Amino acid sequence: MTPKPPYLGAAYYPEDWPLEQIDEDIRLMKEAGVNIARVGEFAWSRMEPEEGKFDFGWLRLAVNKLSEADIAVIMCTPTCTPPVWLTERYPEVLFMHTNGTRAKHGARRHACPTSRIYRMHCERIVTKLAEEFGHDERVIGWQIDNEFHSLSPARRPCVCPECVKKFQEMMRERFGTIEKLNEAWGTGLWSQTYQSFEQLPTPDPETWHHPSLLAAWQEFYSAAYVDFAKHQADILHKLASQPVGTDMMAFTGVHYGRMHEFLDVVMFNHYHTMENLWQVGMWFDLCRTIKNRPFWNTETQTCWNGSVTANGYKEPGFCRANSWLPIAMGAEANLYWLWRQHWSGQEIMHGSVISSCGRPLHIFGEVQETAKGFDAAAVFLNKTKPTKTGLAMHFSHLAAWIFEHQPIVRGFRYSTYLNEKAYRPMLKAQLRPDVILPEANLYDYRVIFSPFLPALDEDNLREKIKSWVEAGGTWIVGPLSDIRTVHAANFTHAPFGSLEEWAGIRCRFSVPGDPRNFKIRWLDGRVST
Amino acid sequence: MTPKPPYLGAAYYPEDWPLEQIDEDIRLMKEAGVNIARVGEFAWSRMEPEEGKFDFGWLRLAVNKLSEADIAVIMCTPTCTPPVWLTERYPEVLFMHTNGTRAKHGARRHACPTSRIYRMHCERIVTKLAEEFGHDERVIGWQIDNEFHSLSPARRPCVCPECVKKFQEMMRERFGTIEKLNEAWGTGLWSQTYQSFEQLPTPDPETWHHPSLLAAWQEFYSAAYVDFAKHQADILHKLASQPVGTDMMAFTGVHYGRMHEFLDVVMFNHYHTMENLWQVGMWFDLCRTIKNRPFWNTETQTCWNGSVTANGYKEPGFCRANSWLPIAMGAEANLYWLWRQHWSGQEIMHGSVISSCGRPLHIFGEVQETAKGFDAAAVFLNKTKPTKTGLAMHFSHLAAWIFEHQPIVRGFRYSTYLNEKAYRPMLKAQLRPDVILPEANLYDYRVIFSPFLPALDEDNLREKIKSWVEAGGTWIVGPLSDIRTVHAANFTHAPFGSLEEWAGIRCRFSVPGDPRNFKIRWLDGRVST
Amino acid sequence: MTPKPPYLGAAYYPEDWPLEQIDEDIRLMKEAGVNIARVGEFAWSRMEPEEGKFDFGWLRLAVNKLSEADIAVIMCTPTCTPPVWLTERYPEVLFMHTNGTRAKHGARRHACPTSRIYRMHCERIVTKLAEEFGHDERVIGWQIDNEFHSLSPARRPCVCPECVKKFQEMMRERFGTIEKLNEAWGTGLWSQTYQSFEQLPTPDPETWHHPSLLAAWQEFYSAAYVDFAKHQADILHKLASQPVGTDMMAFTGVHYGRMHEFLDVVMFNHYHTMENLWQVGMWFDLCRTIKNRPFWNTETQTCWNGSVTANGYKEPGFCRANSWLPIAMGAEANLYWLWRQHWSGQEIMHGSVISSCGRPLHIFGEVQETAKGFDAAAVFLNKTKPTKTGLAMHFSHLAAWIFEHQPIVRGFRYSTYLNEKAYRPMLKAQLRPDVILPEANLYDYRVIFSPFLPALDEDNLREKIKSWVEAGGTWIVGPLSDIRTVHAANFTHAPFGSLEEWAGIRCRFSVPGDPRNFKIRWLDGRVST
């Protein structure tokens, strides 16, 4: 019997354990009451131990045994962690750092998404995997790679020649001529004017770069990951019948909208702590709106986080609350990371359901209780869909990229401020918004709030908002909205793109200054802070 | 009618705006009451869009229109920001970092002052610019490049082969033989002894270097910028009739004295905040003494500083006070940075006189009031010269370089301590000192204070001070004075070079220790802290 | 008359001063009452000014004059500081940084211990030096190099091709086949599995490495220094009759046990301050147990530490107490660093006995008093040996290396925690333990405390402890003990290797969590914190 939602489960790494242990793991899974396991992530060297030689026997065994125990499977492509024969033979698949050296073997998320060699090898392993499990009814979904993200350009992404070329090509496609790029970015200052796209440099931590270049590079890097994922999604859609997704994170580096244009289900990983669990609500409210189907909370901790230290200990009760929260907000799956604690490696101290010696952790009872609860609520949940309240708040990756490189006010960080200053007050006022991307259909809502949305021309929002307001929508806008072009520059006709015109007011001057409290004196003499 | 001092104005970047906007800018300038504009800085790619092809039409138009409006012009050489055709064709003009990579295009102050290729291209653009405006009476002065500075050797300067060679040559010129360098620096320890000048390394952040090497490298880098500026000054003095300067900063990396041996007017940029505005006094008191003519305060903010964030908000009244301060202390010009806020780029958030959409900022009224005040006081000011009070305090770049690499006491920073511990107490006691370089004529003063002056042999000060004291001068010396050779080493005959001999006292021992308070017990039993 | 212990003296650098000054230095040494000087350290360029040309005349003169004054000599090999002809002609002797650049000339501890070229040159100078002074009875001991240490792998050590190869060879010797390494480290996760030893990477700060790799690299670097020292020790043991040692520090990077397998006397340098002097006790209690002869405290400060700043000022009385402490804990020598303050260079501000101009520092009286005390106590001390109390605490380098790369709990640092949480409470309880390495003979003790000892299989401790307990020993173990294999991985059969079996208890689960206080509720209802 194939399990039905809501799913409760965990990430499972049979590749790291003796195969004969699978039975004991499954016995404990049944004792815990879980009904789903996520497998295959990172296991490339086990699936393809030599270039072109494949071994799925161990994985087939695991899937079979899980299925026999009525545990559904999410299958992952293992492309986040290239095997050593690949990194050794083709060192150009590894990130190039700004100092010219390459990342070393033995990490994860350190291979260049742009590398054609890397893509070619990814294509082969994904194809083989899809051929193996693409029509297996015990596999209920596919996860592509793992946690694409792109921290600030000074650090993570690759600056190899292929990335540089791809970035330049992307700019050529966007602007057509280099003159248009110069005009859009405003390179007239400091003799920055480019004469060809080939002259565009990659960000380097030692150089004081133009913020439009930096925002464009960040957009490029998001696009590079989206394109990398699409390459695999296309294969899976051709060879497999299950829904396909990729597990995203509570970061702004990779565009949720672009990524899900070709994906079927939104997957989300989060490791919020007891102290900041409230923040995850904004992300759940976003995940729910992207695809017209319940999202999957593919990873969360049971009791503490950890790499080589354990941290973020959670008090009793947290595990249960944290497991229910996504379900309450529109998910149909909650998976822990991880089932059995690693017995070595970079994440040896991360909390789990059972320890590396196979003993249930102190939260095992909470897991069992949650499993029973999911079971009891299943019929109700599966017949229920979240309703729209008519209220939405905008969330924009472009905003994050612009503010990343020009925070305008010291200490301003987009997603933190959006969460704390805009989303949380709504929660406290008992309002339940959808969190929507600029591409979203506005007519689903009667009230839309657009704070910290600098570039209103993103996704034609300027025209769309105008029409929607004219059709009766109520728009609450600002602060820091409609103040930049999509290329991260100021408007020169007015401080705002359209706000003055639309509101019939005129801004005499603005005072960004330091973070400090200014008082407002109203016409009637009252003073507000 | 050419404007007369005192000058009030701003930096103006017509290259970054449509030419048809100049009229509106000038209209607002007249409304503000300013009478000077500083132009050309950074506009190399506009002046020379292709190698060897020049276009000064736009700049001539701006100068003409400003002149017609009775606004004087300071013309700047644009060499701080090489165009992309230069950095692409000759990548060796860009800074080499210690990891072997080069700076990227699109920043400023990132070209190597030593590079012969770079010098050659600078020579050409400066020559053309001088030919164009060198005898234009509407141009009242020249600014070479912009804000030469050289932060600690681990960071900013270039370590390219040309710099290394030049540094070694400078050492050869100074010492003649490598044995003399070894003797002067004390390389006998740790087998550091060099056998030839070619073996001298450049500072590298990963290596624990000799402090005499580090101080010498810093001196070299100051000399590199001085030499770079002199190259341009020689051209301008040949082809132009106006006074020539370069805008210095409140940093100690480039030698004010060496730099002004061949320049005509001291230019100074400062961005002190409300909280630390008092510190700028020391620098003004220095600027006033270097050349026998009023200095120009070429840059200061109107209301807040900023690059990609705005910071250092100033309360009402600051703009006016900050504009008058240099005039009160010996300047004849005060220019804001900048006239019209940038509409994009690395400094998009910096405060200005009018916004990027052409609206006056909240301080516009203060600018107008200041302009009226300058006008009203003009006759008085132009007939007045600052008088010398007979009191001076020494300021030494060599001191800064020695202390940079051997602070002696934890937390000691030369220019901060000099300002806080020596200059400020004099201000509070209503004393008005000149701040003088070691090369200054001592006979202008009756009392001289030399705190934190480790190397008394700088500029023959040892002999000069002795003669001057014997002729009746009163010298107040220390702490931390006369304790090092000019090569940053200890004396070995006594803890001080001459102080014991001159004062007829003997130091039993000294206790530098941590920053902590020691008490002094006098012979009569009293205790001081 | 050759001096007898206890020795009181200082490091002396005649190479940095005019030879005619030796007499005055010796006059002051006699006035201070010291009877030993440590010479030769760092003086390679003076001993071998050109490749293959040796000059020991100046050193012979110094030794002669010291001996004539009844001052004993410790002779040091100068290999910590290669001369410039060596670093210039063979740049591969210098550390390679992870960014691919090499360290620069003019520092110390910056030459690669693995480099064969470097070893060859070290062999030559050590041989010559040993031939010169190996049977000189005025020389009472040899110090090899200076302060071997190896900070965390992201920083100090060399990653040159020779080091990489040597590391891979060490792993091959340890594991035999790459499969065994994969099994031991647990490389099955993240496709880290290696196919050959040649694929093992060196640690790079930009890569998220496996903690077993990092611990192994640290062990390799300790072994590299041990091997480097052994090379010299073998030469000295062949050519010289005096005892040989190397001055170690209060760091865990280089293995005290492996290092002293072939050395004759433990030498120890420490610079603890007034505030943390208590910490040095743990190290003295370790130094005492390693060799069956009194150790030498080869370096400590007189009054303050310093490189280019002075810091850690000590109050009156500290010098005396600090000088006696090692003697009280089993040393027979205490030497200050340094006799005469350097007159230049990287350590110009370090405290000394006399200043660089030859004047006694304020602690001179304390030195004299200490010298008199040593003299008065000499007969008693030389007839006395420290007694064993029967109590010992384990100290493990492998523990330090494992915890360095997996601290388990945030903020955990091995040697700090061992000192503060384990050693100090014993001191406060008036207990006097030996601090012993895992290789130590357990039967010298009745009670042994093994806190923070993760890998009980180090040096066969598991079997040894079991037998010793069975023979009546009392073992106090934990926290964080017996929780890892020697390869830094978890056990998979149980949370502890043997503790459950031996104690007859079973651990249900453990909660490492953040540093926070958990309370314990006992069966009788009492609660402890």
Side-chain angles (χ1 to χ4, degrees), chain C residues 29 59 97 112 126 133 137 187-188 199 240 267 282 330 335 346 369 392 400 408 418 430 443 481 502 521 527:
Chain C
M29 286 182 193
L59 187 55
H97 305 307
C112 171
V126 173
F133 296 104
E137 62 187 11
T187 58
Q199 291 165 336
M267 298 172 170
M282 184 178 82
L335 286 87
Q346 286 90 328
E369 193 184 331
I408 296 182
L418 190 70
Q430 306 292 338
Y443 292 89
S481 293
W502 291 348
R521 191 173 52 233
V527 171

Side-chain angles (χ1 to χ4, degrees), chain B residues 122-142:
Chain B
C122 290
E123 179 171 331
R124 189 163 54 182
I125 186 66
V126 172
T127 300
K128 288 287 178 187
L129 196 60
E131 288 169 354
E132 189 75 19
F133 296 103
H135 296 285
D136 190 323
E137 61 187 12
R138 283 112 26 132
V139 172
I140 66 153
W142 288 87

Side-chain angles (χ1 to χ4, degrees), chain C residues 330-346:
Chain C
E332 64 177 11
N334 183 68
L335 286 87
Y336 303 113
W337 197 85
L338 70 177
W339 168 250
R340 183 185 280 253
Q341 184 193 2
H342 287 326
W343 64 275
S344 78
Q346 286 90 328

Side-chain angles (χ1 to χ4, degrees), chain B residues 222-239:
Chain B
S222 170
Y225 279 128
V226 167
D227 193 60
F228 180 80
K230 184 169 187 308
H231 180 224
Q232 294 193 24
D234 290 348
I235 298 168
L236 292 170
H237 281 140
K238 199 164 62 186
L239 300 175

Side-chain angles (χ1 to χ4, degrees), chain B residues 158-177:
Chain B
C158 176
V159 295
C160 77
E162 280 186 279
C163 280
V164 175
K165 190 146 178 282
K166 197 86 174 265
F167 169 60
Q168 292 167 345
E169 279 167 17
M170 181 176 162
M171 292 302 107
R172 188 195 308 279
E173 275 165 39
R174 167 164 305 170
F175 291 105
T177 67

Side-chain angles (χ1 to χ4, degrees), chain C residues 15 84 132 190 203 211 448 455 502 528:
Chain C
E15 69 269 27
V84 74
E132 189 76 22
W190 296 11
I448 296 178
W502 291 348
S528 307

Side-chain angles (χ1 to χ4, degrees), chain A residues 296-314:
Chain A
W296 296 357
N297 197 53
T298 26
E299 290 186 17
T300 193
Q301 74 276 282
T302 59
C303 49
W304 62 76
N305 305 336
S307 55
V308 291
T309 56
N311 55 71
Y313 170 78
K314 275 86 185 173

Side-chain angles (χ1 to χ4, degrees), chain A residues 40-59:
Chain A
E41 196 192 47
F42 307 138
W44 194 344
S45 69
R46 190 72 186 273
M47 299 177 185
E48 188 179 3
E50 299 278 351
E51 186 173 353
K53 293 191 185 163
F54 298 91
D55 173 12
F56 296 109
W58 63 276
L59 187 55

